[in-house]
Amino acid sequence: MTSNALKISGLTRRFGSTVALDDFNLEVGIGELVALLGPSGCGKTTALRIIAGLEKEDAGRVYLGDVDITMRPANKRNMGMVFQSYSLFPNLTVEENVAFGLQMRKVNKSQRVNRAHELLELVGLNSQSKRFPHQLSGGQQQRVALARALAYEPEVLLLDEPLSALDAQVRANLREEIRRLQLALGTTTLFVTHDQEEAMSISDRVGVMNHGKLEQIADPNTLYNQPATAFVAGFVGVMNRIPTKSQNGYVNIFGKDYEAQFIGSVSEDVIALVRPEKISVHASTVNSNAKLLMKSFLGSSTQLTCQLSDGLVIHALSDSQECNNLELGSLITLQYNSKKALVGSV
Amino acid sequence: MAPLRTKKSTSLIARVFLVCVGILVCLPLIGAAEFSLREGGRTKHSFHAYRWIFEQEDFSKTLLTTLQISLVAVFVTFFLMVPTVAWLHIQGKRYLRFVEVLTVLPLIIPVVALATGAALALPAWIQSSKYILSMMYVVLAMPFTFRALDIGMRGRQLDILVAAARSLGAKWWSIIFMIITPIILKSIFASIFLTVALSLGEFTFAQLLHWSTFPTWVAVAAQGNILGATALSVSALLSAWLLLFSFTFFDRKKQNEAK
């Protein structure tokens, strides 16, 4: 017996000389929402399509619970999928679209109509049930697609960048709706996205992918604060990369020594990885180590772009009120506020 | 104001052009219809020539044979071409241009060569059946049916729709009948019309393979009665038009329902 709803073991896929997936492993717990995050071409969509049965793997296995479904065709995997492009059937009404999966499972008409209305009610589109897809907005179409994928209670819900074609406001609303529905129905969900805000805001765990491999999988907080690789450190959130030297397990940042926490191999020439919010900025004419280049107001906080005396550009995040008195071009002092510093190799 | 005048004049040119084309298409048909209604002179008109058609012993027999051949050709076209073109759009996009070139071959290879090839290569059981003509008409209509279906499937994101249907549990035949067919209905009607029109008018193949069909009968019957032959031509043209308009009407009705 296993507590995993989905298990992927050693998945490999090549397209000619390009390796899309390289010994990819993943386990998703029952009722969990896991996001696969990574840059374009990292293999996340390929992984999702193989799990759905829409793409063939070169090697590896896919398990649904304890059952090996690697050889099972897509239509027999009982997974729901929402695609990046609008994928509603244009010849069917909203109601017929939502009921389609149930129709394929030979559920009688009255039951499937009732279930379709139940799901449409959940996504707030019951009043649109007799409309055709072209009469709906992009956001509404994706909500219908979500209802359609959930109507037959799939064992796993697969979301392939479902929000990327929508505008910012609709996107933010819909991602919250996805999370609300996922929690309400307890559906195990695998969500592919290249948008880290999307992944971090609604997922239980986030897996960061690079070159067909899973670099790290952890909850958003761990991923942000304790990245396992230099790639994850650089990809998730904004990270300053400050070249420095390590001596006796310490590194120098802005003129002070901090205990080094190494990611990867230990060497003398290293890169200190510093989050903008860990840097404090003070106006000063004496002992200044940088110059303020730009201020970007973000609401409660302000992003400050500073330049060190050696020319390196540093991003700092400061409380908007605290940095109100800082003038552009003025001399400032940067200070790193932590006991330990993440350090990567050059 | 200037753009408005341009739009108006463009619309006027379009209307004049439409009327000219209408005259060009309708005038010969009206002339032929008038000629087919003559009875012994220019002044007296009747349906004598049309009655003559129905009195001919082989008329209904050959027409029925041709319709049966057309029907089989339509079915074969549908079951062969729709899944093939759909597959090319879903998974075989790299072969699309190659197949497009292949489908032009029936226009390049002389009909005599095709008929001889059929007589030599096809198994005896199909050679002894009139439905060999259905197979030949599927091949002959392929340059047109392929293009009609190809145009209908372009820009429809069939790969995404099929992937969605598969993930929802649909089998391939459900996808063909419930998703692809309704989406490209207009193109399917166009390919059916083209196949039927070709079957109703094809002479050379039927003659070379020694089958008596409606066009071969018309060729023989026309030699003895010029008015009857004209009446036949007018009837055939009007039937084709009627078929085309009924497809268009049905398609419009479906589109209006969808709106």
Side-chain angles (χ1 to χ4, degrees), chain A residues 205-224:
Chain A
R205 286 190 299 151
V206 179
V208 180
M209 287 184 72
N210 188 30
H211 297 308
K213 274 187 181 290
L214 196 60
E215 294 258 340
Q216 186 182 3
I217 182 160
D219 62 275
N221 190 24
T222 308
L223 206 67
Y224 188 79

Side-chain angles (χ1 to χ4, degrees), chain A residues 135-155:
Chain A
Q135 296 170 312
L136 305 178
S137 68
Q140 286 175 323
Q141 288 197 44
Q142 287 304 67
R143 274 147 76 194
V144 174
L146 188 64
R148 182 177 69 175
L150 289 167
Y152 49 91
E153 296 175 354
E155 287 178 66

